[in-house]
Amino acid sequence: MIALRQVGLEEQGRRILADVDFEIERGEFAFLLGPTGSGKSTILQLILFERRPTSGVVIVGDYDSESIRDRDMPAMRRSVSMVSQNHRLLQDRTVYENVAFAMEVTGTPRPAVRRRTHTLLADVELMHRRSVRPGALSGGEQQQLAIARALANEPFVLLADEPTANLDPETTDLVVRILADVQARGTTVLVATHNEALVSGRRQRVLRLEDGRIAGAGVSRTQPGCAF
């Protein structure tokens, strides 16, 4: 599903990643753990093909960093979705419209848009907030909305970059539970975080990134349908 093979990245003579090598299977949930500046966001950008490695290869499903073409990118971006730290929500649209718009731009029929938007908002516990705009939401609710929107076109991979940053413990637990539910339905989930407490005691595999290298990885793996 996702594989980085001896991936290295240098920019302006500075090493960012070196010999990064790991695989994430279809339907797996994994954490990418490392301090700020260790290269976590860079790895997510490589998986999205927003950046290309200096050495090695990145493989995501049927695509790889050596052969993917510009014309493949729209389909690839519908298959691999990202929840970023700044949410990138449409401030002039309602909660419902933020999710629906992601499907409307791909030509999804209106009845299907309505059904899936309602389903996703229910899944992330935001149906009661569907008519308000993002500015009226709490930080946690904005993250829940960002997850719903990222899932609009049914990607097979969901990437999340520090999805619980600046959230209180109760909201953090809710966001992680939502991501676990996403994985339980068969979507591959990779969460980048600097928070040791977030991964402590969980059964998911942890990829530890230190100084641009994978220092170690837990042996446990989650299979489709497994919860936290």
Side-chain angles (χ1 to χ4, degrees), residues 47-146:
I47 292 171
L48 280 169
F49 299 118
E50 291 179 349
R51 301 169 84 168
R52 303 296 173 90
T54 306
S55 58
V57 61
V58 179
I59 303 167
V60 183
D62 295 329
Y63 305 103
D64 69 76
S65 57
E66 294 180 338
S67 64
I68 191 169
R69 300 163 295 184
D70 288 344
R71 66 188 185 191
D72 297 326
M73 295 305 290
M76 185 270 173
R77 293 281 167 77
R78 288 192 293 272
S79 300
V80 181
S81 197
M82 173 82 157
V83 179
S84 61
Q85 294 184 52
N86 62 7
H87 308 311
R88 301 179 184 175
L89 301 172
L90 303 173
Q91 298 298 322
D92 61 341
R93 296 172 186 260
T94 66
V95 165
Y96 175 94
E97 290 167 342
N98 263 268
V99 179
F101 181 74
M103 288 174 274
E104 291 167 351
V105 296
T106 65
T108 304
R110 184 170 296 179
V113 169
R114 185 182 306 111
R115 287 193 302 271
R116 181 148 179 80
T117 300
H118 284 165
T119 297
L120 288 169
L121 291 179
D123 288 344
V124 301
E125 302 185 13
L126 279 183
M127 269 296 285
H128 65 297
R129 303 285 270 162
R130 62 188 178 277
S131 298
V132 305
R133 294 187 178 182
L137 301 177
S138 68
E141 288 173 330
Q142 290 186 39
Q143 189 64 282
Q144 292 161 242
L145 175 56

Side-chain angles (χ1 to χ4, degrees), residues 1-18:
M1 176 54 60
I2 300 173
L4 275 70
R5 311 257 191 228
Q6 299 299 309
V7 166
L9 181 66
E10 294 185 5
E11 289 186 351
Q12 299 179 337
R14 183 171 69 92
R15 189 197 73 188
I16 299 173
L17 299 174

